[in-house]
Amino acid sequence: MATSHDTVSLPVGGMTCAACQANVQRALERTAGVKSASVSLMMHRASIEFDPCVTSAEALVEAIENTGYEASLPAPHESALEEQEAHDQEQRREFVALKRKALGSLLAGVVAMAVSMPLMGVHTAHTTIDPLMHGAMALLSPPLRRGIPWLFAVDPVVLSYGLLALTLVVMGAAGRHFYVRAWLSARHGTTDMNTLIAVGTGASFAYSFAATVAPGFFLARGVAPDAYYEAVVFIIALVLTGNALEARAKVETTSALRALVGLQPKTAGLVRGDEVVEVPLGSLRKGDCVRVRPGERVPVDGEVVDGRSQVDESMLTGEPLSIAKGPGDRVIGATLNGTGSLTVRAMGLGEASVLAGIVRLMREAQSSRAPVQRLADRVSALFVPAVVFLSVVTFAVWWATSGSAVRAFSAAIAVLIIACPCAMGLAVPTAVMVATGKGAELGILIKGGEALERLASIDTVVFDKTGTVTEGHPTVTEVQIVRGEEGVLLAKVASVESCSEHPLGAALVAAARARGLTLEAVTGFEARPGLGVVGQVGSKSVVVGNAELMKSVGVQAVPSGGGAKTWVWVAIEGQLAGALAIADPLRAEAKEAVEALGALGVSVHMLSGDAPETALAVAAEAGIHNVRAGVLPEGKVREIERLKAEGRHVAMVGDGINDAPALARADIGIAMGTGTDIAMEASDVALLRSDLRAVATALRLARKTMQVTRQNLFWAFAYNVVSIPVAAGVLYPFAGVLLSPVLASAAMALSSVSVVSNSLRLRRFGA
């Protein structure tokens, strides 16, 4: 008996680095009843699939809180649009708060350095813990002595206690969250980036505090009671500056989502009798009619009941051309109305709207984890304890070899501060977020990091024919006249076919209407299944059908060519009058799309349920050389499996219900935007516009994303592999280089910013 599973997405607070993410991830995966969990550092959310018979959403919240992080149940009845708005507001608040803290602590750092200068030389062995600060203070001390002479006249004890108070304010106000989160992590037996910052700055402060309140203890042992408050303040200031820059960059990674949400109008013009009343969007109900004025955005998904206009749907589909809309046509919320006025009956509201569905899919995609992230997760789980151990070893080695507690202390703190699990945690999700956002701008919905990674490896693309390579609807492509005029012939044919329900008949009627022809009344209509139709149009008998029907009424049908066309012959008053070719035309961009895929080194195939002659003709026109015709849905699945058995990475592109099994079986399923909901659901990638060139665009975007991701991971790992030994002092015996803890904090901050900035380059990706 199959076990049912529920899915919940929980907001998680307090995560600052990959180690935090790994802690929450492990806690959830170890919880009984959890089938799978995906924790997003960027989105601050945990998506969990669980067995409701074993655990509950409340228990999962408790499991997260037991690791020292904050979690809460999702707000009831909140749509994806509202969730995203709340997330965006929280991101902006976080950035503003971090910016204020960074600016305040930087200013405090400048003051602390200035106040520390008069203390230089108070003790004969005075040297700051930070060689960079020592050099800067030695350089700036003479001009400061001339500019503010009274500062150097202040009692050193007063200055020391003043620095102690200032540092406490910075640690307690601007840096408080580092210590609170480090303490919570320690209580729960975990470590993260906050642990490194808290231990590094806390140890420096503790040493400085002891030197300030008990200088005699140090002097009695021949050690200068020097305080390192300025280093503590600057380290906090620079880490906060890095956090603020990182937060600002994170805001940019969700710009595509924010732009989508921002398109949703807040109010709508509700039609009440002869009046139009402006009401909040949330007060609308299904079936209400709203007026959309020229230049306004359509507030809801619905159907036009009155008016005509051109509607720009590019924000959803990427298609630059506006689309004509009139009564009976469907419109999508947040699209832009042109110069006409429309009255629209509301059909899709709130969470049921197309826009909300796209935002929900994008949020799920951006919260997902790509397989390439697993390596970073495994390293992050052990990273912080390893760094703390290396810091202790560094202190011991320096103490033993140099006998200098100051140098040992400086190197140990530099090791703690420079280590950066943040960069590793941001390497993959930032690239995934920017790429999925950019894809949405181009009308390509990529459903997650795993789909993105698999898409990048595709080397074979299989197209369905009808509705994918072709337009998906029969069209009259050629008219051959034996006697009479083309317009007269087509009008009589359409008049008879207007009584038929056959798809070919609909194509003939559409062709006549497109030419502005007037249809006549028909009497004696008769449909002959598998053959055609007959009827009396005015005083003329008209027979429309295949060669067999022509033969049955004594008319010799002349073959008019083959290829991917269905020929229909016309007899008027027992005489052959002409023939019409009906075909499902090739998409205008199909050949260009196939060439673009070939340029990427991708092998292109086509599957069709049509007869071989038709399928081969369409494939030849599109430039596709690998064709399988007469294939039923189960045959399409077998063909996908055959290609995969050859070691190929296969993407299937389709649009119909019969394509859904093959879409699901392929490594990547790509559904056309004109396709069915079932095909869209079974796919990994959905094309919101009917343009086959988007398939090649999606592949190029995925490959570029994986290139950026590998760059991010390389630099994140390389940064730590190189910087931690340098901070420990391995270059000192050869080059006399001992890294400053303040420089270490700046380098740590910049490493995270560089990873996010590299991912943001994907925003410049072009179609």
Side-chain angles (χ1 to χ4, degrees):
M1 180 177 174
T3 304
S4 63
H5 289 93
D6 285 351
T7 301
V8 66
S9 179
L10 303 175
V12 181
M15 295 192 299
T16 56
C17 67
C20 303
Q21 176 184 301
N23 291 337
V24 177
Q25 182 88 25
R26 284 197 307 274
L28 288 171
E29 289 174 343
R30 291 171 182 170
T31 303
V34 171
K35 182 182 178 183
S36 64
S38 177
V39 181
S40 171
L41 176 62
M42 292 293 294
M43 297 295 288
H44 292 281
R45 299 190 79 82
S47 297
I48 310 141
E49 188 178 359
F50 64 97
D51 183 349
C53 298
V54 179
T55 188
S56 63
E58 291 78 7
L60 296 172
V61 168
E62 186 179 350
I64 295 172
E65 290 177 337
N66 285 340
T67 63
Y69 302 94
E70 302 131 30
S72 59
L73 292 172
H77 312 302
E78 190 174 52
S79 71
L81 291 168
E82 292 166 332
E83 282 185 9
Q84 186 59 37
E85 271 193 304
H87 176 72
D88 290 340
Q89 290 171 0
E90 181 58 34
Q91 273 194 323
R92 286 191 286 269
R93 281 195 295 268
E94 180 188 15
F95 167 62
V96 170
L98 284 169
K99 183 172 72 171
R100 287 174 179 166
K101 289 180 179 181
L103 290 173
S105 52
L106 282 170
L107 179 61
V110 172
V111 172
M113 187 167 71
V115 173
S116 297
M117 290 183 193
L119 295 177
M120 294 181 68
V122 170
H123 305 293
T124 55
H126 185 284
T127 176
T128 177
I129 191 173
D130 193 308
L132 173 71
M133 298 299 292
H134 180 73
M137 288 161 66
L139 183 66
L140 295 173
S141 184
L144 191 66
R145 186 183 292 273
R146 291 191 297 271
I148 316 177
W150 58 265
L151 183 62
F152 290 79
V154 177
D155 186 341
V157 175
V158 174
L159 292 177
S160 294
Y161 275 95
L163 282 170
L164 168 61
L166 178 63
T167 306
L168 273 175
V169 169
V170 172
M171 294 173 74
R176 180 177 180 273
H177 61 283
F178 295 134
Y179 306 101
V180 171
R181 289 171 182 168
W183 169 246
L184 289 172
S185 295
R187 280 183 57 199
H188 295 92
T190 60
T191 54
D192 56 29
M193 187 196 76
N194 298 297
T195 305
L196 302 180
I197 297 169
V199 171
T201 57
S204 297
F205 177 78
Y207 185 94
S208 302
F209 178 81
T212 300
V213 300
F217 175 84
F218 291 84
L219 291 170
R221 288 158 178 77
V223 178
D226 296 321
Y228 313 126
Y229 296 119
E230 72 287 340
V232 173
V233 174
F234 263 110
I235 287 169
I236 291 173
L238 288 172
V239 171
L240 286 170
T241 300
N243 291 163
L245 291 172
E246 183 185 311
R248 182 179 180 182
K250 284 180 181 178
V251 170
E252 295 300 311
T253 64
T254 56
S255 60
L257 260 177
R258 192 163 52 255
L260 277 178
V261 173
L263 292 173
Q264 179 73 59
K266 303 297 182 186
T267 61
L270 176 64
V271 178
R272 289 179 178 168
D274 296 331
E275 294 183 335
V276 177
V277 182
E278 204 72 18
V279 298
L281 199 62
S283 67
L284 290 179
R285 296 293 177 266
K286 189 172 182 179
D288 285 345
C289 286
V290 296
R291 182 72 47 78
V292 187
R293 302 176 184 88
E296 289 185 340
R297 291 201 176 272
V298 179
V300 294
D301 294 0
E303 180 182 304
V304 177
V305 295
D306 187 39
R308 293 188 179 277
S309 185
Q310 296 283 326
V311 177
D312 179 0
E313 297 182 345
S314 60
M315 45 74 66
L316 288 177
T317 66
E319 176 59 55
L321 299 177
S322 295
I323 300 170
K325 301 288 184 180
D329 289 333
R330 182 189 179 203
V331 290
I332 301 172
T335 53
L336 185 63
N337 186 28
T339 56
S341 180
L342 297 174
T343 301
V344 176
R345 180 181 293 110
M347 298 172 67
L349 297 166
E351 192 65 6
S353 69
V354 170
L355 182 64
I358 291 173
V359 170
R360 184 172 60 254
L361 279 174
M362 285 184 64
R363 283 174 61 82
E364 290 171 359
Q366 295 184 342
S367 298
S368 68
R369 290 148 53 83
V372 72
Q373 191 175 339
R374 291 170 188 156
L375 175 61
D377 290 344
R378 286 196 294 269
V379 172
S380 299
L382 303 171
F383 185 81
V384 176
V387 170
V388 173
F389 174 75
L390 287 174
S391 177
V392 172
V393 171
T394 299
F395 181 87
V397 171
W398 271 98
W399 178 274
T401 56
S402 71
S404 170
V406 170
R407 283 187 175 177
F409 204 39
S410 174
I413 291 173
V415 169
L416 287 172
I417 297 300
I418 203 167
C420 186
C422 297
M424 287 184 285
L426 295 170
V428 178
T430 53
V432 170
M433 289 187 74
V434 179
T436 51
K438 185 62 184 180
E441 288 179 15
L442 298 172
I444 302 167
L445 277 183
I446 302 172
K447 301 179 183 178
E450 185 174 353
L452 196 63
E453 187 170 337
R454 284 189 277 115
L455 183 60
S457 67
I458 292 300
D459 55 30
T460 302
V461 170
V462 178
F463 286 109
D464 170 55
K465 181 184 80 69
T466 304
T468 303
V469 176
T470 64
E471 293 286 356
H473 50 81
T475 303
V476 175
T477 59
E478 188 177 346
V479 180
Q480 294 185 359
I481 300 298
V482 174
R483 57 172 52 87
E485 297 178 5
E486 179 179 319
V488 174
L489 173 73
L490 190 54
K492 292 190 180 301
V493 168
S495 297
V496 176
E497 291 289 358
S498 66
C499 301
S500 170
E501 296 181 356
H502 197 280
L504 295 184
L508 293 165
V509 173
R513 293 193 188 282
R515 289 167 171 80
L517 301 176
T518 302
L519 304 190
E520 301 177 55
V522 178
T523 58
F525 173 80
E526 181 185 351
R528 299 186 181 181
L531 299 174
V533 295
V534 297
Q536 193 80 14
V537 181
S539 61
K540 305 288 186 181
S541 65
V542 180
V543 179
V544 184
N546 58 21
E548 190 177 344
L549 178 60
M550 293 296 113
K551 185 177 179 181
S552 70
V553 296
V555 175
Q556 182 64 43
V558 180
S560 301
K565 300 176 182 178
T566 298
W567 284 93
V568 175
W569 285 269
V570 184
I572 299 178
E573 289 294 293
Q575 299 292 320
L576 182 67
L580 302 97
I582 301 175
D584 183 1
L586 189 75
R587 289 186 184 275
E589 79 285 355
K591 188 174 179 62
E592 186 181 343
V594 172
E595 290 172 351
L597 288 169
L600 293 174
V602 174
S603 174
V604 181
H605 297 241
M606 190 183 82
L607 302 178
S608 174
D610 283 351
E613 183 184 19
T614 302
L616 287 168
V618 169
E621 192 178 351
I624 300 173
H625 305 295
N626 305 295
V627 185
R628 288 287 302 276
V631 183
L632 297 175
E634 56 269 25
K636 292 181 181 180
V637 173
R638 283 196 297 271
E639 181 65 13
I640 295 294
E641 290 173 339
R642 183 186 70 78
L643 291 170
K644 291 176 68 174
E646 293 177 359
R648 298 172 182 263
H649 298 280
V650 183
M652 172 72 190
V653 186
D655 74 319
I657 292 175
N658 63 335
D659 297 324
L663 288 170
R665 187 68 188 91
D667 294 301
I668 285 290
I670 302 176
M672 298 294 289
T674 52
T676 64
D677 290 340
I678 294 175
M680 298 281 275
E681 191 67 30
S683 66
D684 304 289
V685 178
L687 307 181
L688 298 180
R689 55 187 170 125
S690 300
D691 189 335
L692 285 183
R693 290 170 295 190
V695 176
T697 301
L699 259 64
R700 289 195 298 110
L701 176 60
R703 291 180 181 183
K704 182 65 176 177
T705 303
M706 293 315 299
Q707 179 187 349
V708 168
T709 296
R710 285 189 287 269
Q711 290 171 353
N712 286 349
L713 285 172
F714 171 80
W715 288 114
F717 284 119
Y719 165 82
N720 285 291
V721 168
V722 172
S723 63
I724 291 175
V726 171
V730 295
L731 296 180
Y732 186 78
F734 314 105
V737 175
L738 184 60
L739 192 65
S740 153
V742 170
L743 271 182
S745 63
M748 186 271 282
L750 288 174
S751 68
S752 298
V753 175
S754 66
V755 164
V756 180
S757 299
N758 190 45
S759 297
L760 286 172
R761 291 192 302 118
L762 289 167
R763 293 176 63 190
R764 299 197 295 270
F765 176 86

